[in-house]
């Protein structure tokens, strides 16, 4: 598996497809114009597609900024969930929530997003905050 940051069309965060330079392997591209934190989640999301949906990748899966693709909403939700589990494991998130409370952190979402190097939006989703 190769992972590269590359210019992608506006509104596209990432893609996974067969690697033309390495038959039998896959290539993940992330939009080089997205923030590092967004790119990190995108890589985890595309890896999740590989782990969960490898048989459905075909010629490639392209995900937009809302992590929607030609796959069903259920499969996109599965990829998002696995990406979140990889980057923000429940046990560690709960430990850091306890630490934040002990430190009387006012912005727990921002604090946790920094600790896990993810966007605040991703952390809100992880915490079930709308």
């Amino acid at each position: 598996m190769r992972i590269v940051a590359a210019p992608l069309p506006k509104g596209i965060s990432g893609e996974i497809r067969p690697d033309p330079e390495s038959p039998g392997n896959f290539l993940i591209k992330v939009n080089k114009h997205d923030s590092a934190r967004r790119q990190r989640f995108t890589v985890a999301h595309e890896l999740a597609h590989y782990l969960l949906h490898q048989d459905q990748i075909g010629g490639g899966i392209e995900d937009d900024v809302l992590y929607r693709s030609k796959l069903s909403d259920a499969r996109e939700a599965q990829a998002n969930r696995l990406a979140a589990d990889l980057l923000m494991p429940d046990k560690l998130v709960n430990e850091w929530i306890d630490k934040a409370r002990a430190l009387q952190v006012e912005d727990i979402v921002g604090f946790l997003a920094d600790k896990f190097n993810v966007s605040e939006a991703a952390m809100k989703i992880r915490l079930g905050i709308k």
Side-chain angles (χ1 to χ4, degrees):
M1 173 99 42
R2 259 187 333 132
I3 301 170
V4 298
L8 293 175
K10 185 177 179 171
I12 300 299
S13 287
E15 64 182 32
I16 182 169
R17 61 186 63 254
D19 189 340
E21 294 180 18
S22 182
N25 293 311
F26 287 86
L27 170 65
I28 291 175
K29 287 184 182 180
V30 294
N31 194 324
K32 75 175 195 171
H33 300 294
D34 286 347
S35 72
R37 289 180 177 192
R38 174 121 186 139
Q39 288 179 25
R40 190 166 179 264
F41 191 88
T42 299
V43 168
H45 178 92
E46 300 306 333
L47 283 171
H49 277 313
Y50 174 78
L51 295 170
L52 299 170
H53 313 122
Q54 184 175 353
D55 61 326
Q56 298 167 37
I57 293 173
I61 298 172
E62 190 175 79
D63 287 294
D64 69 14
V65 294
L66 298 176
Y67 298 110
R68 294 180 303 208
S69 71
K70 64 182 178 186
L71 295 181
S72 70
D73 288 343
R75 288 189 176 88
E76 287 303 329
Q78 291 168 351
N80 280 338
R81 179 62 189 188
L82 182 52
D85 288 345
L86 290 169
L87 299 176
M88 302 169 276
D90 278 334
K91 182 179 179 198
L92 290 176
V93 169
N94 290 332
E95 288 174 11
W96 278 104
I97 287 172
D98 292 342
K99 289 177 185 178
R101 288 181 178 145
L103 295 169
Q104 299 181 348
V105 171
E106 289 184 34
D107 179 11
I108 290 179
V109 171
F111 176 81
L112 293 173
D114 287 344
K115 292 298 177 193
F116 288 87
N117 198 21
V118 297
S119 68
E120 288 190 19
M123 185 54 70
K124 283 181 181 178
I125 290 168
R126 184 69 168 118
L127 297 173
I129 299 171
K130 302 221 180 209

Tab-separated table of all heavy atoms in Angstrom, residues 2-8 15 27-32 39 43:
chain	number	residue	atom	x	y	z
A	2	ARG	N	0.642	2.110	-0.947
A	2	ARG	CA	1.328	3.406	-0.986
A	2	ARG	C	0.333	4.478	-0.595
A	2	ARG	O	-0.844	4.393	-0.952
A	2	ARG	CB	1.821	3.706	-2.406
A	2	ARG	CG	3.265	3.450	-2.614
A	2	ARG	CD	3.828	3.901	-3.954
A	2	ARG	NE	2.903	3.949	-5.076
A	2	ARG	CZ	2.798	4.988	-5.902
A	2	ARG	NH1	3.514	6.078	-5.731
A	2	ARG	NH2	1.959	4.945	-6.928
A	3	ILE	N	0.814	5.475	0.120
A	3	ILE	CA	-0.019	6.609	0.508
A	3	ILE	C	0.698	7.873	0.070
A	3	ILE	O	1.870	8.072	0.408
A	3	ILE	CB	-0.259	6.628	2.032
A	3	ILE	CG1	-0.945	5.333	2.475
A	3	ILE	CG2	-1.078	7.859	2.429
A	3	ILE	CD1	-1.011	5.140	3.965
A	4	VAL	N	-0.007	8.709	-0.705
A	4	VAL	CA	0.594	9.947	-1.191
A	4	VAL	C	-0.384	11.107	-1.019
A	4	VAL	O	-1.600	10.930	-1.107
A	4	VAL	CB	1.019	9.848	-2.677
A	4	VAL	CG1	2.076	8.779	-2.871
A	4	VAL	CG2	-0.148	9.600	-3.586
A	5	ALA	N	0.182	12.274	-0.771
A	5	ALA	CA	-0.599	13.510	-0.799
A	5	ALA	C	-0.494	14.041	-2.223
A	5	ALA	O	0.610	14.140	-2.768
A	5	ALA	CB	-0.053	14.520	0.200
A	6	ALA	N	-1.630	14.345	-2.818
A	6	ALA	CA	-1.650	14.767	-4.220
A	6	ALA	C	-2.773	15.772	-4.419
A	6	ALA	O	-3.721	15.823	-3.634
A	6	ALA	CB	-1.876	13.551	-5.117
A	7	PRO	N	-2.671	16.578	-5.470
A	7	PRO	CA	-3.801	17.457	-5.778
A	7	PRO	C	-4.970	16.596	-6.273
A	7	PRO	O	-4.795	15.769	-7.155
A	7	PRO	CB	-3.264	18.369	-6.883
A	7	PRO	CG	-2.105	17.649	-7.474
A	7	PRO	CD	-1.561	16.733	-6.410
A	8	LEU	N	-6.115	16.776	-5.653
A	8	LEU	CA	-7.327	16.068	-6.058
A	8	LEU	C	-8.372	17.103	-6.435
A	8	LEU	O	-8.277	18.263	-6.013
A	8	LEU	CB	-7.834	15.171	-4.922
A	8	LEU	CG	-6.938	13.986	-4.545
A	8	LEU	CD1	-7.504	13.255	-3.333
A	8	LEU	CD2	-6.781	13.030	-5.708
A	15	GLU	N	-8.942	8.980	-1.995
A	15	GLU	CA	-9.343	7.874	-2.844
A	15	GLU	C	-8.431	6.685	-2.583
A	15	GLU	O	-7.300	6.842	-2.124
A	15	GLU	CB	-9.296	8.257	-4.320
A	15	GLU	CG	-7.898	8.584	-4.833
A	15	GLU	CD	-7.869	9.005	-6.296
A	15	GLU	OE1	-8.843	9.617	-6.779
A	15	GLU	OE2	-6.846	8.718	-6.957
A	27	LEU	N	-3.186	2.022	-3.840
A	27	LEU	CA	-2.677	3.375	-3.674
A	27	LEU	C	-3.757	4.212	-3.016
A	27	LEU	O	-4.906	4.219	-3.460
A	27	LEU	CB	-2.319	3.969	-5.049
A	27	LEU	CG	-1.989	5.451	-5.113
A	27	LEU	CD1	-0.708	5.758	-4.337
A	27	LEU	CD2	-1.848	5.891	-6.568
A	28	ILE	N	-3.389	4.896	-1.944
A	28	ILE	CA	-4.287	5.856	-1.306
A	28	ILE	C	-3.744	7.245	-1.615
A	28	ILE	O	-2.558	7.520	-1.397
A	28	ILE	CB	-4.358	5.655	0.223
A	28	ILE	CG1	-5.069	4.340	0.543
A	28	ILE	CG2	-5.060	6.840	0.893
A	28	ILE	CD1	-5.081	3.993	2.024
A	29	LYS	N	-4.616	8.094	-2.118
A	29	LYS	CA	-4.267	9.502	-2.329
A	29	LYS	C	-5.129	10.333	-1.392
A	29	LYS	O	-6.328	10.091	-1.265
A	29	LYS	CB	-4.545	9.941	-3.769
A	29	LYS	CG	-3.584	9.392	-4.785
A	29	LYS	CD	-3.891	9.971	-6.159
A	29	LYS	CE	-2.978	9.420	-7.223
A	29	LYS	NZ	-3.302	9.998	-8.547
A	30	VAL	N	-4.488	11.318	-0.759
A	30	VAL	CA	-5.222	12.280	0.054
A	30	VAL	C	-4.996	13.657	-0.551
A	30	VAL	O	-3.957	13.921	-1.161
A	30	VAL	CB	-4.781	12.269	1.543
A	30	VAL	CG1	-5.139	10.954	2.192
A	30	VAL	CG2	-3.319	12.560	1.702
A	31	ASN	N	-5.992	14.514	-0.387
A	31	ASN	CA	-5.923	15.850	-0.963
A	31	ASN	C	-4.852	16.657	-0.231
A	31	ASN	O	-4.961	16.917	0.956
A	31	ASN	CB	-7.277	16.539	-0.863
A	31	ASN	CG	-7.331	17.767	-1.730
A	31	ASN	OD1	-6.349	18.484	-1.882
A	31	ASN	ND2	-8.495	18.024	-2.308
A	32	LYS	N	-3.802	17.031	-0.946
A	32	LYS	CA	-2.685	17.740	-0.336
A	32	LYS	C	-3.084	19.130	0.167
A	32	LYS	O	-2.360	19.730	0.950
A	32	LYS	CB	-1.500	17.831	-1.289
A	32	LYS	CG	-1.645	18.835	-2.410
A	32	LYS	CD	-0.368	18.907	-3.210
A	32	LYS	CE	-0.337	20.143	-4.089
A	32	LYS	NZ	0.971	20.336	-4.699
A	39	GLN	N	-6.163	15.056	6.548
A	39	GLN	CA	-5.479	14.026	5.771
A	39	GLN	C	-5.312	12.758	6.605
A	39	GLN	O	-5.476	11.649	6.091
A	39	GLN	CB	-4.112	14.514	5.310
A	39	GLN	CG	-4.170	15.565	4.223
A	39	GLN	CD	-2.788	16.026	3.809
A	39	GLN	OE1	-1.804	15.316	3.949
A	39	GLN	NE2	-2.714	17.242	3.283
A	43	VAL	N	-6.745	9.143	5.469
A	43	VAL	CA	-5.946	7.926	5.309
A	43	VAL	C	-6.576	6.788	6.099
A	43	VAL	O	-6.723	5.668	5.592
A	43	VAL	CB	-4.479	8.159	5.730
A	43	VAL	CG1	-3.735	6.829	5.851
A	43	VAL	CG2	-3.773	9.078	4.750
